[in-house]
């Protein structure tokens, strides 16, 4: 009897805490009302079905609170696994995959196929209405070939945002695979961060969240920097403190800001409720680079 009373009191305390938390989120929900939030989900952040379900729940919650989430995803580890299975060697240069026609075929199959549909399904399973696209659909991401001997890697040149805004207006959640359409009918492999930054700029987004597998941008001592300036990013890249896959992320952040995005946050997508923590609490999460 005493144990039952204690359990019921604990449940009441939990309910009160939940109600308080919801109430505290109100000013943040109001501040972001109607905002376009572009979220890049990196392959490393899709580590488990639980992480995917938590991410999908955050997205549906954002949509329910009248934010307009647009997902752009990666899938580097899944591409690596398929290339390995097919015994196709692969190589990266400054965080970008050198892409032959054969590589691009596999990239498109993995990103537009399995990865895109897994995210779409995870969101729909939480009660959202997600629709999968790639940068080739309605030519939403037109690219030139990137410089630097990377092969069929795309450098975004134009974003035809109409198809995305039509979906947002219809109450759908767009989930976009980072392929690019070339002017001569080519298919380009675009780094997921680069694609997300271009799309955020094209949509004049309020925020770009880059979800990855680290808590944020770390300094030379391994501490996460909660705020970063463009000057710090340049200095840390030159000294090698920012390296590998973090180079396209920070470069994307700077480009997105100069294209009109209000703020970019690099944060750990594996952490529970990472997006809600960033958008709906006073503390935020990860490293923010502001306009
Ligand atoms: N200064 C830095 N701070 C944090 N991570 C860094 C830094 N420099 C390089 N990295 C690396 O960048 C990685 C994130 O990039 P990447 O592996 O491409 O992630 P994703 O698949 O999420 O796009 C981190 O796991 C880390 O190893
Ligand atoms: C040009 C280039 O590097 N494209 C990436 C596209 C996927 C991606 O960006 O995946 P993550 O976000 O998981 O790293 C690739 O081929 O791996």
């Amino acid at each position: 009897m005493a144990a039952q009373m204690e359990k019921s009191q604990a449940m009441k305390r939990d309910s009160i805490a939940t109600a308080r938390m919801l109430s505290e989120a109100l000013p943040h929900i109001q501040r972001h009302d109607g905002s376009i939030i572009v979220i890049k989900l990196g392959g490393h952040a899709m580590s488990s079905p639980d992480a995917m379900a938590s991410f999908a729940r955050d997205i549906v919650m954002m949509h329910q609170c009248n934010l307009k989430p647009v997902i752009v995803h990666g899938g580097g580890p899944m591409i690596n696994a398929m290339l390995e299975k097919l015994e196709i060697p692969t190589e990266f240069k400054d965080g970008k995959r050198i892409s032959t026609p054969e590589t691009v075929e596999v990239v498109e199959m993995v990103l537009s196929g399995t990865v895109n549909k897994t995210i779409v399904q995870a969101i729909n399973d939480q009660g959202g209405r997600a629709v999968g696209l790639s940068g080739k659909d309605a030519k939403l991401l037109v690219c030139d070939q990137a410089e630097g001997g990377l092969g069929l890697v795309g450098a975004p040149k134009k974003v035809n945002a109409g198809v995305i805004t039509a979906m947002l207006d219809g109450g759908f959640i767009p989930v976009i695979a980072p392929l690019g359409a070339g002017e001569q009918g080519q298919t380009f492999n675009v780094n997921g961060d680069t694609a997300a930054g271009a799309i955020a700029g094209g949509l004049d987004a309020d925020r770009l969240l880059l979800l990855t597998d680290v808590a944020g941008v770390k300094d030379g001592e391994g501490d996460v920097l909660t705020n970063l300036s463009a000057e710090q990013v340049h200095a840390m890249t030159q000294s090698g403190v920012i390296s590998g896959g973090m180079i396209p992320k920070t470069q994307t952040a700077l480009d997105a800001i100069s294209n009109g995005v209000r703020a970019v946050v690099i944060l750990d997508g594996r952490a529970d409720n990472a997006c809600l923590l960033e958008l709906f609490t006073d503390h935020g999460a990860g490293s923010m680079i502001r306009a």
Side-chain angles (χ1 to χ4, degrees):
M1 188 71 177
Q4 210 169 18
M5 275 208 15
E6 209 170 290
K7 194 175 165 201
S8 127
Q9 278 175 350
M11 279 167 68
K12 193 172 170 194
R13 279 197 299 275
D14 282 353
S15 301
I16 292 169
T18 304
R20 183 173 303 137
M21 196 184 63
L22 279 171
S23 171
E24 283 169 4
L26 179 64
H28 299 283
I29 294 172
Q30 287 171 327
R31 184 159 53 97
H32 293 299
D33 186 49
S35 304
I36 296 180
I37 313 284
V38 176
I39 301 129
K40 158 44 184 17
L41 181 63
H44 286 118
M46 306 174 207
S47 52
S48 70
D50 283 353
M52 189 69 95
S54 161
F55 167 79
R57 213 175 154 80
D58 279 13
I59 297 300
V60 175
M61 180 75 174
M62 284 162 65
H63 193 251
Q64 196 72 45
C65 293
N66 201 36
L67 277 70
K68 294 177 174 170
V70 175
I71 319 303
V72 180
H73 62 85
M78 296 76 169
I79 299 168
N80 289 341
M82 184 55 79
L83 287 171
E84 200 177 318
K85 215 183 259 186
L86 299 171
E87 297 180 0
I88 301 172
T90 194
E91 215 183 308
F92 284 82
K93 194 170 166 189
D94 288 338
K96 295 189 180 168
R97 188 186 307 276
I98 300 175
S99 300
T100 62
E102 194 183 27
T103 320
V104 173
E105 212 176 301
V106 176
V107 168
E108 183 166 30
M109 176 176 87
V110 172
L111 294 186
S112 279
T114 330
V115 176
N116 188 277
K117 297 311 159 212
T118 303
I119 301 168
V120 165
Q121 177 155 5
I123 294 172
N124 292 348
D125 284 348
Q126 299 296 331
R129 289 195 300 157
V131 177
L133 297 166
S134 91
K136 283 169 69 176
D137 288 289
K139 288 197 173 174
L140 80 85
L141 188 63
V142 180
C143 293
D144 283 331
Q145 184 156 342
E147 286 173 5
L150 297 165
L152 287 169
V153 169
K157 169 164 116 172
K158 186 164 186 252
V159 176
N160 291 310
V163 62
I164 307 176
T165 49
M167 285 204 173
L168 293 175
D169 292 345
F172 297 101
I173 301 172
V175 178
I176 305 168
L179 280 311
E183 302 276 24
Q184 271 86 47
Q186 314 94 307
T187 299
F188 286 118
N189 178 13
V190 187
N191 172 273
D193 300 311
T194 311
I199 290 168
L203 285 167
D204 208 11
D206 293 279
R207 221 162 254 208
L208 168 62
L209 307 182
L210 299 173
L211 302 188
T212 181
D213 64 344
V214 276
V217 182
K218 295 178 182 172
D219 64 16
E221 264 82 60
D223 295 323
V224 172
L225 299 164
T226 49
N227 281 289
L228 254 121
S229 64
E231 292 70 30
Q232 273 171 301
V233 170
H234 291 310
M236 287 166 72
T237 307
Q238 284 221 314
S239 67
V241 172
I242 289 176
S243 63
M246 195 48 74
I247 298 175
K249 273 181 228 313
T250 45
Q251 190 54 53
T252 291
L254 300 184
D255 291 348
I257 281 172
S258 58
N259 286 329
V261 176
R262 255 64 81 210
V264 182
V265 185
I266 297 173
L267 68 165
D268 192 347
R270 300 162 312 165
D272 275 347
N273 305 116
C275 295
L276 297 188
L277 198 63
E278 168 50 32
L279 293 166
F280 294 158
T281 72
D282 294 334
H283 303 292
S287 302
M288 181 177 278
I289 306 171
R290 274 182 204 277

